[in-house]
């Protein structure tokens, strides 16, 4: 099962658990007028089940507005957040889940609220050519889920996503570093590649980062450093294509040089 599908299943399963407390169903459309809480909640659930997620979210919001002190209001807050998440209105999903946590910080559904916030950030991650603020927010939110609820299935999913987020952030560093290389800004490039090696050493970008450090060191005239990075690359990724390329570079430009 892919991580994206797994997340949707987890989110939907938790939302279904919340919804199961409601009971009943409505056969008529509900206008925005004063209505008993059970009917209003049931209509919101019916709309959600039929895929009308925006209206469902609005109706769950209406449950809270009309019956703020009812136990239904607490469930409606999270169901509204889930409905907005399914509708891809991630900002509102985050806002509603955060508000739930502010009002009910110790509630048994708090782990799900934290998880929903993390998912809402995660789904907005853009490609590496764009600003990575959302990616960093997703990383922070996923770490919070893992820190607070390490034994839950939410945390297990968060840990999988954290690996992908780290790979994404490393990819951004690599993209910037390669840009600096093309511009002849070798020191700035080396700093970016070094950050990948130090901070994201377990990602798929680490071998290329070590190769680029070999390349940058040779361009800066620091042949001993180039040999060192090539040796680290060979020790950790002996069969990797980036090591083969680094080995050729060192042979051509630093033959006989000892690592610093």
């Amino acid at each position: 099962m892919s991580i994206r599908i797994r997340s949707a299943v987890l989110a939907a399963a938790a939302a279904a658990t919340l919804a199961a407390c409601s009971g009943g169903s409505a056969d008529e459309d509900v206008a925005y007028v004063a209505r008993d809480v059970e009917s209003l909640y049931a209509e919101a659930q019916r709309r959600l089940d039929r895929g009308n997620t925006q209206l469902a979210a609005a109706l769950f919001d209406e449950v809270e507005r009309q019956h703020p002190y009812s136990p239904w209001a607490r469930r409606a807050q999270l169901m509204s957040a889930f409905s907005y998440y399914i509708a891809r209105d991630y900002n509102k999903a985050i806002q509603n889940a955060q508000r739930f946590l502010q009002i009910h910080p110790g509630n048994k559904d708090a782990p799900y609220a934290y998880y929903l916030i993390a998912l809402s950030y995660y789904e907005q991650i853009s490609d590496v050519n764009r600003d990575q603020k959302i990616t960093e927010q997703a990383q922070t939110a996923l770490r919070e889920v893992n820190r607070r609820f390490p034994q839950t299935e939410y945390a297990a999913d968060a840990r999988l996503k954290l690996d992908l987020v780290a790979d994404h952030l490393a990819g951004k560093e690599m993209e910037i570093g390669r840009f600096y290389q093309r511009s002849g800004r070798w020191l700035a490039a080396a700093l970016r590649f070094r950050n990948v090696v130090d901070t994201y050493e377990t990602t798929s970008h680490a071998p290329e980062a070590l190769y680029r450090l070999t390349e940058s060191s040779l361009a800066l005239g620091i042949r001993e450093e180039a040999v060192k990075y090539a040796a680290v690359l060979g020790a950790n990724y002996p069969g990797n294509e980036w090591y083969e390329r680094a080995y050729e570079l060192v042979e051509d430009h630093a033959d006989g040089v000892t690592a610093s």
Side-chain angles (χ1 to χ4, degrees):
M1 182 182 295
S2 73
I3 288 180
R4 186 175 295 272
I5 294 173
R6 171 188 170 85
S7 302
V9 169
L10 276 174
T17 301
L18 288 168
C21 301
S22 67
S25 62
D27 296 322
E28 300 174 359
D29 290 341
V30 175
Y32 286 94
V33 295
R35 184 174 292 269
D36 66 278
V37 65
E38 291 88 352
S39 297
L40 189 54
Y41 190 101
E43 177 63 10
Q45 183 62 48
R46 185 170 72 90
R47 294 291 185 171
L48 179 60
D49 292 342
R50 291 184 174 184
N52 196 339
T53 52
Q54 286 286 358
L55 181 54
L59 287 168
F60 283 125
D61 288 342
E62 192 69 5
V63 170
E64 184 186 1
R65 189 185 72 80
Q66 291 190 23
H67 308 278
Y69 305 110
S70 165
W72 298 81
R74 183 175 62 250
R75 294 197 294 271
Q77 283 179 348
L78 270 188
M79 289 302 294
S80 173
F82 173 75
S83 299
Y84 282 125
Y85 167 75
I86 295 299
R88 299 186 179 183
D89 192 339
Y90 299 120
N91 289 336
K92 286 186 178 178
I94 291 168
Q95 290 169 8
N96 280 21
Q98 287 176 336
R99 189 158 53 83
F100 174 87
L101 289 170
Q102 289 170 358
I103 299 171
H104 313 287
N107 187 269
K108 63 180 179 61
D109 293 316
Y112 175 64
Y114 278 103
Y115 179 68
L116 199 54
I117 290 168
L119 283 186
S120 296
Y121 281 123
Y122 183 81
E123 295 293 346
Q124 298 180 77
I125 292 177
S126 58
D127 63 67
V128 296
N129 296 311
R130 304 178 67 179
D131 178 75
Q132 296 302 298
K133 181 180 179 181
I134 285 289
T135 308
E136 292 167 357
Q137 289 174 312
Q139 185 180 58
T140 298
L142 289 165
R143 283 174 174 168
E144 190 72 359
V145 172
N146 188 48
R147 184 184 70 83
R148 288 177 177 271
F149 316 105
Q151 304 306 316
T152 65
E153 193 171 5
Y154 302 136
D157 193 51
R159 287 191 289 271
L160 290 174
K161 285 182 169 56
L162 279 168
D163 290 340
L164 296 178
V165 168
D167 205 78
H168 198 87
L169 290 170
K172 181 62 176 181
E173 288 291 281
M174 293 299 298
E175 194 270 336
I176 295 171
R178 287 191 292 265
F179 170 78
Y180 285 148
Q181 275 194 332
R182 291 192 297 270
S183 305
R185 299 165 64 184
W186 295 100
L187 182 57
L191 290 173
R192 294 290 181 166
F193 300 137
R194 182 73 201 185
N195 188 43
V196 172
V197 172
D198 291 342
T199 308
Y200 307 109
E201 70 275 9
T202 61
T203 70
S204 63
H205 298 282
E208 183 186 353
L210 286 164
Y211 168 77
R212 298 295 178 186
L213 281 167
T214 304
E215 215 174 29
S216 298
S217 297
L218 287 172
L220 290 166
I222 316 173
R223 296 192 299 168
E224 295 82 0
E225 285 285 291
V227 172
K228 179 187 75 173
Y229 288 124
V232 173
L233 181 50
N236 289 279
Y237 310 98
N240 192 279
E241 64 172 308
W242 293 110
Y243 171 63
E244 294 175 5
R245 294 175 65 173
Y247 182 81
E248 291 175 2
L249 269 183
V250 168
E251 269 201 330
D252 292 343
H253 302 287
D255 189 30
V257 175
T258 302
S260 59

